[in-house]
Amino acid sequence: MNDYLQRAKFFRTKKRLGQNFLINPDVIESIGELAGIDKNDTVLEIGPGIGFVTELLVKKSKKVIAVELDEDAIAVLKKLGAENLQIIHQDILKTDISDLRDGINGKIKVVANIPYYITSPIIAHLLGEIDEMENKNRNCIDSVILMVQEEVAKRMTATPDSENKAWGLLSILSQFWADCEIVKFVGRRSFYPAPKVNSALVKLVIREKPLLDLSDYKHFRRVVKAAFSQRRKTLKNCLLQASYTKEVIKSAYDKLHLPDDIRGEKLSIQQLGELSEALIDANKG
């Protein structure tokens, strides 16, 4: 770790970009293993920083496409001199991943150590929203290894039975288009500068089809947003505020045998899907 630490200290990190460089060699090595990268793979690395993980990825893969926003970090990355490294100075949220695949056969694997404050936007950018049946970025990706704040990782992989109200919109966004699991917990001292919280590596394996087969995915998204809009209120009150009538709600509740006082956070993705379909049917009636 000392070599990485000394190199990280030599670089002036930028707090506004949320830069915390991974300096633990064991964790760096495990990223390549957990991502299952081999010499046939093209890897998109999001936020490579000054290249500690990049050094590993260029050795293991056929090609690495590194998207980095910081010009000073890019200057360091260029010193790696790897022939199979393509560096792109750009914001990942403004990057169409399908544009990066010229001459590449098959799907790419993504490795990302990202600022915690843009985790949700990046997940939505990579996977698409739950009602995006065709998403150019998701269709290009095989899997994602994502370093995130531990609390965020637990929210991404949560169920309705999870503690501390972890289950919510981020859980559904993550799990609707991917098999999602925490594959490694990472202590804060594995980074420089050390963040105030611990982290975790989450692996997302992209689905060919969404988790549920529904008649109207835009309506499902509307129901999900309503269900988690006000956690202190019952699901029924949340649906009323989302402009569903009492009659429609009663019909759907009766069909699904839902108790009147149930809250949205107690429903699984499957149950929310059933509720969405039941509300559609009740509206038709």
Side-chain angles (χ1 to χ4, degrees), residues 84-119:
N84 62 336
L85 174 61
Q86 177 185 356
I87 303 169
I88 297 176
H89 180 206
Q90 199 160 290
D91 182 344
I92 189 62
L93 294 177
K94 298 176 182 176
T95 302
D96 186 337
I97 294 171
S98 61
D99 289 343
L100 307 179
R101 296 178 66 232
D102 289 343
I104 297 171
N105 294 320
K107 296 185 177 184
I108 62 176
K109 293 180 178 178
V110 177
V111 172
N113 177 16
I114 58 177
Y116 296 147
Y117 64 89
I118 57 170
T119 300

PDB file of all heavy atoms in Angstrom, residues 84-119:
ATOM      1  N   ASN A  84      -2.949  -0.356 -25.055  1.00  0.00           N
ATOM      2  CA  ASN A  84      -4.367  -0.741 -25.076  1.00  0.00           C
ATOM      3  C   ASN A  84      -5.229   0.147 -24.183  1.00  0.00           C
ATOM      4  O   ASN A  84      -6.333  -0.225 -23.800  1.00  0.00           O
ATOM      5  CB  ASN A  84      -4.532  -2.202 -24.658  1.00  0.00           C
ATOM      6  CG  ASN A  84      -4.047  -2.470 -23.233  1.00  0.00           C
ATOM      7  OD1 ASN A  84      -3.207  -1.735 -22.710  1.00  0.00           O
ATOM      8  ND2 ASN A  84      -4.566  -3.518 -22.610  1.00  0.00           N
ATOM      9  N   LEU A  85      -4.725   1.341 -23.836  1.00  0.00           N
ATOM     10  CA  LEU A  85      -5.467   2.296 -23.004  1.00  0.00           C
ATOM     11  C   LEU A  85      -5.919   3.482 -23.843  1.00  0.00           C
ATOM     12  O   LEU A  85      -5.102   4.180 -24.451  1.00  0.00           O
ATOM     13  CB  LEU A  85      -4.598   2.781 -21.845  1.00  0.00           C
ATOM     14  CG  LEU A  85      -5.189   3.896 -20.963  1.00  0.00           C
ATOM     15  CD1 LEU A  85      -6.478   3.441 -20.297  1.00  0.00           C
ATOM     16  CD2 LEU A  85      -4.166   4.357 -19.918  1.00  0.00           C
ATOM     17  N   GLN A  86      -7.231   3.709 -23.878  1.00  0.00           N
ATOM     18  CA  GLN A  86      -7.804   4.890 -24.538  1.00  0.00           C
ATOM     19  C   GLN A  86      -8.349   5.805 -23.449  1.00  0.00           C
ATOM     20  O   GLN A  86      -9.200   5.397 -22.653  1.00  0.00           O
ATOM     21  CB  GLN A  86      -8.925   4.477 -25.492  1.00  0.00           C
ATOM     22  CG  GLN A  86      -9.617   5.658 -26.174  1.00  0.00           C
ATOM     23  CD  GLN A  86     -10.814   5.221 -27.025  1.00  0.00           C
ATOM     24  OE1 GLN A  86     -11.082   4.034 -27.156  1.00  0.00           O
ATOM     25  NE2 GLN A  86     -11.524   6.179 -27.580  1.00  0.00           N
ATOM     26  N   ILE A  87      -7.859   7.026 -23.392  1.00  0.00           N
ATOM     27  CA  ILE A  87      -8.271   7.985 -22.359  1.00  0.00           C
ATOM     28  C   ILE A  87      -9.221   9.006 -22.974  1.00  0.00           C
ATOM     29  O   ILE A  87      -8.915   9.615 -24.011  1.00  0.00           O
ATOM     30  CB  ILE A  87      -7.050   8.704 -21.748  1.00  0.00           C
ATOM     31  CG1 ILE A  87      -6.066   7.686 -21.162  1.00  0.00           C
ATOM     32  CG2 ILE A  87      -7.489   9.691 -20.668  1.00  0.00           C
ATOM     33  CD1 ILE A  87      -4.721   8.278 -20.791  1.00  0.00           C
ATOM     34  N   ILE A  88     -10.365   9.183 -22.322  1.00  0.00           N
ATOM     35  CA  ILE A  88     -11.368  10.136 -22.812  1.00  0.00           C
ATOM     36  C   ILE A  88     -11.623  11.177 -21.724  1.00  0.00           C
ATOM     37  O   ILE A  88     -12.017  10.835 -20.606  1.00  0.00           O
ATOM     38  CB  ILE A  88     -12.671   9.429 -23.195  1.00  0.00           C
ATOM     39  CG1 ILE A  88     -12.411   8.458 -24.352  1.00  0.00           C
ATOM     40  CG2 ILE A  88     -13.748  10.436 -23.579  1.00  0.00           C
ATOM     41  CD1 ILE A  88     -13.609   7.632 -24.743  1.00  0.00           C
ATOM     42  N   HIS A  89     -11.386  12.441 -22.076  1.00  0.00           N
ATOM     43  CA  HIS A  89     -11.608  13.548 -21.130  1.00  0.00           C
ATOM     44  C   HIS A  89     -13.065  13.995 -21.247  1.00  0.00           C
ATOM     45  O   HIS A  89     -13.415  14.782 -22.126  1.00  0.00           O
ATOM     46  CB  HIS A  89     -10.659  14.711 -21.459  1.00  0.00           C
ATOM     47  CG  HIS A  89     -10.817  15.877 -20.542  1.00  0.00           C
ATOM     48  ND1 HIS A  89     -10.505  17.168 -20.905  1.00  0.00           N
ATOM     49  CD2 HIS A  89     -11.260  15.946 -19.258  1.00  0.00           C
ATOM     50  CE1 HIS A  89     -10.754  17.985 -19.897  1.00  0.00           C
ATOM     51  NE2 HIS A  89     -11.209  17.260 -18.894  1.00  0.00           N
ATOM     52  N   GLN A  90     -13.900  13.458 -20.350  1.00  0.00           N
ATOM     53  CA  GLN A  90     -15.336  13.700 -20.482  1.00  0.00           C
ATOM     54  C   GLN A  90     -16.063  13.340 -19.196  1.00  0.00           C
ATOM     55  O   GLN A  90     -15.579  12.545 -18.386  1.00  0.00           O
ATOM     56  CB  GLN A  90     -15.884  12.854 -21.636  1.00  0.00           C
ATOM     57  CG  GLN A  90     -17.221  13.325 -22.183  1.00  0.00           C
ATOM     58  CD  GLN A  90     -17.472  12.775 -23.585  1.00  0.00           C
ATOM     59  OE1 GLN A  90     -16.815  13.177 -24.535  1.00  0.00           O
ATOM     60  NE2 GLN A  90     -18.409  11.857 -23.704  1.00  0.00           N
ATOM     61  N   ASP A  91     -17.229  13.918 -19.029  1.00  0.00           N
ATOM     62  CA  ASP A  91     -18.130  13.573 -17.930  1.00  0.00           C
ATOM     63  C   ASP A  91     -18.882  12.306 -18.340  1.00  0.00           C
ATOM     64  O   ASP A  91     -19.513  12.265 -19.391  1.00  0.00           O
ATOM     65  CB  ASP A  91     -19.107  14.736 -17.697  1.00  0.00           C
ATOM     66  CG  ASP A  91     -20.069  14.501 -16.535  1.00  0.00           C
ATOM     67  OD1 ASP A  91     -20.216  13.340 -16.090  1.00  0.00           O
ATOM     68  OD2 ASP A  91     -20.699  15.474 -16.093  1.00  0.00           O
ATOM     69  N   ILE A  92     -18.826  11.261 -17.515  1.00  0.00           N
ATOM     70  CA  ILE A  92     -19.482   9.998 -17.873  1.00  0.00           C
ATOM     71  C   ILE A  92     -20.981  10.177 -18.057  1.00  0.00           C
ATOM     72  O   ILE A  92     -21.610   9.497 -18.881  1.00  0.00           O
ATOM     73  CB  ILE A  92     -19.193   8.894 -16.818  1.00  0.00           C
ATOM     74  CG1 ILE A  92     -19.701   7.534 -17.318  1.00  0.00           C
ATOM     75  CG2 ILE A  92     -19.787   9.246 -15.471  1.00  0.00           C
ATOM     76  CD1 ILE A  92     -19.065   7.023 -18.578  1.00  0.00           C
ATOM     77  N   LEU A  93     -21.574  11.113 -17.342  1.00  0.00           N
ATOM     78  CA  LEU A  93     -23.022  11.327 -17.459  1.00  0.00           C
ATOM     79  C   LEU A  93     -23.403  11.953 -18.806  1.00  0.00           C
ATOM     80  O   LEU A  93     -24.565  11.956 -19.174  1.00  0.00           O
ATOM     81  CB  LEU A  93     -23.530  12.207 -16.312  1.00  0.00           C
ATOM     82  CG  LEU A  93     -23.444  11.589 -14.913  1.00  0.00           C
ATOM     83  CD1 LEU A  93     -23.896  12.580 -13.853  1.00  0.00           C
ATOM     84  CD2 LEU A  93     -24.281  10.316 -14.828  1.00  0.00           C
ATOM     85  N   LYS A  94     -22.395  12.478 -19.506  1.00  0.00           N
ATOM     86  CA  LYS A  94     -22.636  13.054 -20.829  1.00  0.00           C
ATOM     87  C   LYS A  94     -22.061  12.164 -21.929  1.00  0.00           C
ATOM     88  O   LYS A  94     -21.922  12.590 -23.073  1.00  0.00           O
ATOM     89  CB  LYS A  94     -22.028  14.455 -20.901  1.00  0.00           C
ATOM     90  CG  LYS A  94     -22.640  15.440 -19.916  1.00  0.00           C
ATOM     91  CD  LYS A  94     -21.930  16.788 -19.950  1.00  0.00           C
ATOM     92  CE  LYS A  94     -22.534  17.742 -18.918  1.00  0.00           C
ATOM     93  NZ  LYS A  94     -21.799  19.034 -18.868  1.00  0.00           N
ATOM     94  N   THR A  95     -21.725  10.935 -21.548  1.00  0.00           N
ATOM     95  CA  THR A  95     -21.076  10.014 -22.488  1.00  0.00           C
ATOM     96  C   THR A  95     -22.038   8.931 -22.959  1.00  0.00           C
ATOM     97  O   THR A  95     -22.643   8.231 -22.139  1.00  0.00           O
ATOM     98  CB  THR A  95     -19.856   9.343 -21.820  1.00  0.00           C
ATOM     99  OG1 THR A  95     -18.948  10.348 -21.375  1.00  0.00           O
ATOM    100  CG2 THR A  95     -19.144   8.422 -22.793  1.00  0.00           C
ATOM    101  N   ASP A  96     -22.205   8.831 -24.259  1.00  0.00           N
ATOM    102  CA  ASP A  96     -22.990   7.748 -24.852  1.00  0.00           C
ATOM    103  C   ASP A  96     -22.043   6.553 -25.022  1.00  0.00           C
ATOM    104  O   ASP A  96     -21.142   6.575 -25.860  1.00  0.00           O
ATOM    105  CB  ASP A  96     -23.556   8.195 -26.195  1.00  0.00           C
ATOM    106  CG  ASP A  96     -24.502   7.170 -26.810  1.00  0.00           C
ATOM    107  OD1 ASP A  96     -24.395   5.977 -26.441  1.00  0.00           O
ATOM    108  OD2 ASP A  96     -25.335   7.550 -27.638  1.00  0.00           O
ATOM    109  N   ILE A  97     -22.238   5.532 -24.197  1.00  0.00           N
ATOM    110  CA  ILE A  97     -21.305   4.405 -24.177  1.00  0.00           C
ATOM    111  C   ILE A  97     -21.270   3.677 -25.520  1.00  0.00           C
ATOM    112  O   ILE A  97     -20.235   3.162 -25.936  1.00  0.00           O
ATOM    113  CB  ILE A  97     -21.663   3.448 -23.025  1.00  0.00           C
ATOM    114  CG1 ILE A  97     -21.424   4.169 -21.690  1.00  0.00           C
ATOM    115  CG2 ILE A  97     -20.821   2.174 -23.073  1.00  0.00           C
ATOM    116  CD1 ILE A  97     -21.934   3.420 -20.483  1.00  0.00           C
ATOM    117  N   SER A  98     -22.387   3.680 -26.221  1.00  0.00           N
ATOM    118  CA  SER A  98     -22.419   3.005 -27.521  1.00  0.00           C
ATOM    119  C   SER A  98     -21.463   3.668 -28.518  1.00  0.00           C
ATOM    120  O   SER A  98     -20.976   3.026 -29.445  1.00  0.00           O
ATOM    121  CB  SER A  98     -23.837   2.985 -28.082  1.00  0.00           C
ATOM    122  OG  SER A  98     -24.330   4.301 -28.280  1.00  0.00           O
ATOM    123  N   ASP A  99     -21.163   4.950 -28.319  1.00  0.00           N
ATOM    124  CA  ASP A  99     -20.221   5.653 -29.202  1.00  0.00           C
ATOM    125  C   ASP A  99     -18.772   5.218 -28.970  1.00  0.00           C
ATOM    126  O   ASP A  99     -17.898   5.488 -29.797  1.00  0.00           O
ATOM    127  CB  ASP A  99     -20.316   7.173 -28.983  1.00  0.00           C
ATOM    128  CG  ASP A  99     -21.609   7.755 -29.527  1.00  0.00           C
ATOM    129  OD1 ASP A  99     -22.271   7.072 -30.338  1.00  0.00           O
ATOM    130  OD2 ASP A  99     -21.970   8.878 -29.129  1.00  0.00           O
ATOM    131  N   LEU A 100     -18.516   4.566 -27.817  1.00  0.00           N
ATOM    132  CA  LEU A 100     -17.152   4.168 -27.480  1.00  0.00           C
ATOM    133  C   LEU A 100     -16.790   2.784 -28.024  1.00  0.00           C
ATOM    134  O   LEU A 100     -15.656   2.333 -27.865  1.00  0.00           O
ATOM    135  CB  LEU A 100     -16.965   4.145 -25.951  1.00  0.00           C
ATOM    136  CG  LEU A 100     -17.358   5.406 -25.179  1.00  0.00           C
ATOM    137  CD1 LEU A 100     -17.132   5.188 -23.678  1.00  0.00           C
ATOM    138  CD2 LEU A 100     -16.555   6.604 -25.663  1.00  0.00           C
ATOM    139  N   ARG A 101     -17.750   2.116 -28.668  1.00  0.00           N
ATOM    140  CA  ARG A 101     -17.574   0.705 -29.000  1.00  0.00           C
ATOM    141  C   ARG A 101     -17.147   0.463 -30.446  1.00  0.00           C
ATOM    142  O   ARG A 101     -17.251  -0.650 -30.941  1.00  0.00           O
ATOM    143  CB  ARG A 101     -18.862  -0.059 -28.722  1.00  0.00           C
ATOM    144  CG  ARG A 101     -19.250  -0.058 -27.262  1.00  0.00           C
ATOM    145  CD  ARG A 101     -20.574  -0.784 -27.029  1.00  0.00           C
ATOM    146  NE  ARG A 101     -20.488  -2.192 -27.317  1.00  0.00           N
ATOM    147  CZ  ARG A 101     -21.312  -2.852 -28.116  1.00  0.00           C
ATOM    148  NH1 ARG A 101     -22.282  -2.206 -28.734  1.00  0.00           N
ATOM    149  NH2 ARG A 101     -21.184  -4.147 -28.315  1.00  0.00           N
ATOM    150  N   ASP A 102     -16.647   1.484 -31.118  1.00  0.00           N
ATOM    151  CA  ASP A 102     -16.217   1.310 -32.509  1.00  0.00           C
ATOM    152  C   ASP A 102     -15.149   0.217 -32.604  1.00  0.00           C
ATOM    153  O   ASP A 102     -14.125   0.263 -31.918  1.00  0.00           O
ATOM    154  CB  ASP A 102     -15.638   2.621 -33.061  1.00  0.00           C
ATOM    155  CG  ASP A 102     -16.716   3.674 -33.274  1.00  0.00           C
ATOM    156  OD1 ASP A 102     -17.892   3.279 -33.307  1.00  0.00           O
ATOM    157  OD2 ASP A 102     -16.387   4.860 -33.388  1.00  0.00           O
ATOM    158  N   GLY A 103     -15.395  -0.768 -33.424  1.00  0.00           N
ATOM    159  CA  GLY A 103     -14.430  -1.843 -33.620  1.00  0.00           C
ATOM    160  C   GLY A 103     -14.413  -2.881 -32.522  1.00  0.00           C
ATOM    161  O   GLY A 103     -13.554  -3.770 -32.523  1.00  0.00           O
ATOM    162  N   ILE A 104     -15.353  -2.792 -31.583  1.00  0.00           N
ATOM    163  CA  ILE A 104     -15.389  -3.736 -30.465  1.00  0.00           C
ATOM    164  C   ILE A 104     -16.508  -4.741 -30.679  1.00  0.00           C
ATOM    165  O   ILE A 104     -17.669  -4.365 -30.913  1.00  0.00           O
ATOM    166  CB  ILE A 104     -15.615  -2.998 -29.124  1.00  0.00           C
ATOM    167  CG1 ILE A 104     -14.438  -2.062 -28.837  1.00  0.00           C
ATOM    168  CG2 ILE A 104     -15.777  -3.997 -27.975  1.00  0.00           C
ATOM    169  CD1 ILE A 104     -14.675  -1.140 -27.659  1.00  0.00           C
ATOM    170  N   ASN A 105     -16.176  -6.014 -30.623  1.00  0.00           N
ATOM    171  CA  ASN A 105     -17.191  -7.059 -30.727  1.00  0.00           C
ATOM    172  C   ASN A 105     -17.640  -7.472 -29.332  1.00  0.00           C
ATOM    173  O   ASN A 105     -16.838  -7.632 -28.429  1.00  0.00           O
ATOM    174  CB  ASN A 105     -16.615  -8.285 -31.459  1.00  0.00           C
ATOM    175  CG  ASN A 105     -16.298  -7.975 -32.910  1.00  0.00           C
ATOM    176  OD1 ASN A 105     -17.052  -7.276 -33.573  1.00  0.00           O
ATOM    177  ND2 ASN A 105     -15.176  -8.484 -33.397  1.00  0.00           N
ATOM    178  N   GLY A 106     -18.929  -7.662 -29.179  1.00  0.00           N
ATOM    179  CA  GLY A 106     -19.449  -8.081 -27.882  1.00  0.00           C
ATOM    180  C   GLY A 106     -19.641  -6.923 -26.922  1.00  0.00           C
ATOM    181  O   GLY A 106     -19.388  -5.758 -27.248  1.00  0.00           O
ATOM    182  N   LYS A 107     -20.079  -7.268 -25.734  1.00  0.00           N
ATOM    183  CA  LYS A 107     -20.384  -6.255 -24.726  1.00  0.00           C
ATOM    184  C   LYS A 107     -19.144  -5.943 -23.876  1.00  0.00           C
ATOM    185  O   LYS A 107     -18.211  -6.737 -23.800  1.00  0.00           O
ATOM    186  CB  LYS A 107     -21.532  -6.737 -23.838  1.00  0.00           C
ATOM    187  CG  LYS A 107     -22.836  -6.909 -24.605  1.00  0.00           C
ATOM    188  CD  LYS A 107     -23.987  -7.257 -23.685  1.00  0.00           C
ATOM    189  CE  LYS A 107     -25.288  -7.353 -24.473  1.00  0.00           C
ATOM    190  NZ  LYS A 107     -26.465  -7.606 -23.593  1.00  0.00           N
ATOM    191  N   ILE A 108     -19.181  -4.785 -23.242  1.00  0.00           N
ATOM    192  CA  ILE A 108     -18.056  -4.361 -22.419  1.00  0.00           C
ATOM    193  C   ILE A 108     -18.348  -4.597 -20.940  1.00  0.00           C
ATOM    194  O   ILE A 108     -19.502  -4.769 -20.534  1.00  0.00           O
ATOM    195  CB  ILE A 108     -17.727  -2.870 -22.647  1.00  0.00           C
ATOM    196  CG1 ILE A 108     -18.920  -1.985 -22.246  1.00  0.00           C
ATOM    197  CG2 ILE A 108     -17.337  -2.618 -24.083  1.00  0.00           C
ATOM    198  CD1 ILE A 108     -18.638  -0.514 -22.352  1.00  0.00           C
ATOM    199  N   LYS A 109     -17.277  -4.625 -20.155  1.00  0.00           N
ATOM    200  CA  LYS A 109     -17.397  -4.702 -18.702  1.00  0.00           C
ATOM    201  C   LYS A 109     -17.017  -3.347 -18.120  1.00  0.00           C
ATOM    202  O   LYS A 109     -16.099  -2.693 -18.623  1.00  0.00           O
ATOM    203  CB  LYS A 109     -16.499  -5.807 -18.148  1.00  0.00           C
ATOM    204  CG  LYS A 109     -16.970  -7.191 -18.581  1.00  0.00           C
ATOM    205  CD  LYS A 109     -16.096  -8.308 -18.037  1.00  0.00           C
ATOM    206  CE  LYS A 109     -16.666  -9.676 -18.464  1.00  0.00           C
ATOM    207  NZ  LYS A 109     -15.822 -10.795 -18.001  1.00  0.00           N
ATOM    208  N   VAL A 110     -17.730  -2.940 -17.094  1.00  0.00           N
ATOM    209  CA  VAL A 110     -17.524  -1.621 -16.508  1.00  0.00           C
ATOM    210  C   VAL A 110     -16.920  -1.764 -15.117  1.00  0.00           C
ATOM    211  O   VAL A 110     -17.361  -2.597 -14.319  1.00  0.00           O
ATOM    212  CB  VAL A 110     -18.857  -0.836 -16.415  1.00  0.00           C
ATOM    213  CG1 VAL A 110     -18.640   0.518 -15.736  1.00  0.00           C
ATOM    214  CG2 VAL A 110     -19.467  -0.653 -17.801  1.00  0.00           C
ATOM    215  N   VAL A 111     -15.912  -0.958 -14.836  1.00  0.00           N
ATOM    216  CA  VAL A 111     -15.330  -0.848 -13.496  1.00  0.00           C
ATOM    217  C   VAL A 111     -15.389   0.623 -13.119  1.00  0.00           C
ATOM    218  O   VAL A 111     -14.952   1.481 -13.895  1.00  0.00           O
ATOM    219  CB  VAL A 111     -13.872  -1.347 -13.470  1.00  0.00           C
ATOM    220  CG1 VAL A 111     -13.234  -1.049 -12.115  1.00  0.00           C
ATOM    221  CG2 VAL A 111     -13.813  -2.844 -13.766  1.00  0.00           C
ATOM    222  N   ALA A 112     -15.934   0.918 -11.948  1.00  0.00           N
ATOM    223  CA  ALA A 112     -16.111   2.321 -11.580  1.00  0.00           C
ATOM    224  C   ALA A 112     -15.873   2.553 -10.099  1.00  0.00           C
ATOM    225  O   ALA A 112     -16.435   1.862  -9.251  1.00  0.00           O
ATOM    226  CB  ALA A 112     -17.527   2.781 -11.947  1.00  0.00           C
ATOM    227  N   ASN A 113     -15.017   3.519  -9.805  1.00  0.00           N
ATOM    228  CA  ASN A 113     -14.830   4.024  -8.451  1.00  0.00           C
ATOM    229  C   ASN A 113     -15.258   5.477  -8.514  1.00  0.00           C
ATOM    230  O   ASN A 113     -14.485   6.339  -8.919  1.00  0.00           O
ATOM    231  CB  ASN A 113     -13.360   3.896  -8.024  1.00  0.00           C
ATOM    232  CG  ASN A 113     -13.096   4.466  -6.638  1.00  0.00           C
ATOM    233  OD1 ASN A 113     -14.015   4.689  -5.868  1.00  0.00           O
ATOM    234  ND2 ASN A 113     -11.836   4.714  -6.340  1.00  0.00           N
ATOM    235  N   ILE A 114     -16.494   5.733  -8.138  1.00  0.00           N
ATOM    236  CA  ILE A 114     -17.111   7.022  -8.464  1.00  0.00           C
ATOM    237  C   ILE A 114     -17.372   7.860  -7.222  1.00  0.00           C
ATOM    238  O   ILE A 114     -17.498   7.330  -6.119  1.00  0.00           O
ATOM    239  CB  ILE A 114     -18.445   6.810  -9.219  1.00  0.00           C
ATOM    240  CG1 ILE A 114     -19.409   5.971  -8.381  1.00  0.00           C
ATOM    241  CG2 ILE A 114     -18.195   6.172 -10.575  1.00  0.00           C
ATOM    242  CD1 ILE A 114     -20.760   5.772  -9.002  1.00  0.00           C
ATOM    243  N   PRO A 115     -17.460   9.190  -7.396  1.00  0.00           N
ATOM    244  CA  PRO A 115     -17.846  10.037  -6.270  1.00  0.00           C
ATOM    245  C   PRO A 115     -19.221   9.628  -5.745  1.00  0.00           C
ATOM    246  O   PRO A 115     -20.153   9.398  -6.525  1.00  0.00           O
ATOM    247  CB  PRO A 115     -17.894  11.446  -6.886  1.00  0.00           C
ATOM    248  CG  PRO A 115     -17.027  11.366  -8.099  1.00  0.00           C
ATOM    249  CD  PRO A 115     -17.186   9.969  -8.613  1.00  0.00           C
ATOM    250  N   TYR A 116     -19.335   9.536  -4.431  1.00  0.00           N
ATOM    251  CA  TYR A 116     -20.561   9.010  -3.844  1.00  0.00           C
ATOM    252  C   TYR A 116     -21.796   9.847  -4.194  1.00  0.00           C
ATOM    253  O   TYR A 116     -22.896   9.327  -4.319  1.00  0.00           O
ATOM    254  CB  TYR A 116     -20.413   8.923  -2.325  1.00  0.00           C
ATOM    255  CG  TYR A 116     -19.341   7.946  -1.875  1.00  0.00           C
ATOM    256  CD1 TYR A 116     -18.594   8.166  -0.732  1.00  0.00           C
ATOM    257  CD2 TYR A 116     -19.065   6.796  -2.613  1.00  0.00           C
ATOM    258  CE1 TYR A 116     -17.608   7.272  -0.330  1.00  0.00           C
ATOM    259  CE2 TYR A 116     -18.084   5.904  -2.230  1.00  0.00           C
ATOM    260  CZ  TYR A 116     -17.357   6.140  -1.077  1.00  0.00           C
ATOM    261  OH  TYR A 116     -16.394   5.262  -0.691  1.00  0.00           O
ATOM    262  N   TYR A 117     -21.593  11.144  -4.379  1.00  0.00           N
ATOM    263  CA  TYR A 117     -22.762  12.014  -4.560  1.00  0.00           C
ATOM    264  C   TYR A 117     -23.431  11.862  -5.924  1.00  0.00           C
ATOM    265  O   TYR A 117     -24.524  12.384  -6.137  1.00  0.00           O
ATOM    266  CB  TYR A 117     -22.385  13.479  -4.312  1.00  0.00           C
ATOM    267  CG  TYR A 117     -21.377  14.056  -5.289  1.00  0.00           C
ATOM    268  CD1 TYR A 117     -21.790  14.667  -6.471  1.00  0.00           C
ATOM    269  CD2 TYR A 117     -20.016  13.996  -5.035  1.00  0.00           C
ATOM    270  CE1 TYR A 117     -20.874  15.191  -7.364  1.00  0.00           C
ATOM    271  CE2 TYR A 117     -19.085  14.509  -5.918  1.00  0.00           C
ATOM    272  CZ  TYR A 117     -19.519  15.114  -7.075  1.00  0.00           C
ATOM    273  OH  TYR A 117     -18.602  15.621  -7.961  1.00  0.00           O
ATOM    274  N   ILE A 118     -22.784  11.146  -6.864  1.00  0.00           N
ATOM    275  CA  ILE A 118     -23.432  10.943  -8.164  1.00  0.00           C
ATOM    276  C   ILE A 118     -23.701   9.461  -8.438  1.00  0.00           C
ATOM    277  O   ILE A 118     -23.869   9.061  -9.580  1.00  0.00           O
ATOM    278  CB  ILE A 118     -22.615  11.557  -9.324  1.00  0.00           C
ATOM    279  CG1 ILE A 118     -21.196  10.974  -9.371  1.00  0.00           C
ATOM    280  CG2 ILE A 118     -22.609  13.062  -9.257  1.00  0.00           C
ATOM    281  CD1 ILE A 118     -20.446  11.359 -10.642  1.00  0.00           C
ATOM    282  N   THR A 119     -23.787   8.654  -7.382  1.00  0.00           N
ATOM    283  CA  THR A 119     -24.022   7.224  -7.569  1.00  0.00           C
ATOM    284  C   THR A 119     -25.332   6.954  -8.302  1.00  0.00           C
ATOM    285  O   THR A 119     -25.363   6.229  -9.305  1.00  0.00           O
ATOM    286  CB  THR A 119     -24.032   6.499  -6.205  1.00  0.00           C
ATOM    287  OG1 THR A 119     -22.769   6.684  -5.569  1.00  0.00           O
ATOM    288  CG2 THR A 119     -24.284   5.013  -6.399  1.00  0.00           C
TER     289      THR A 119
END
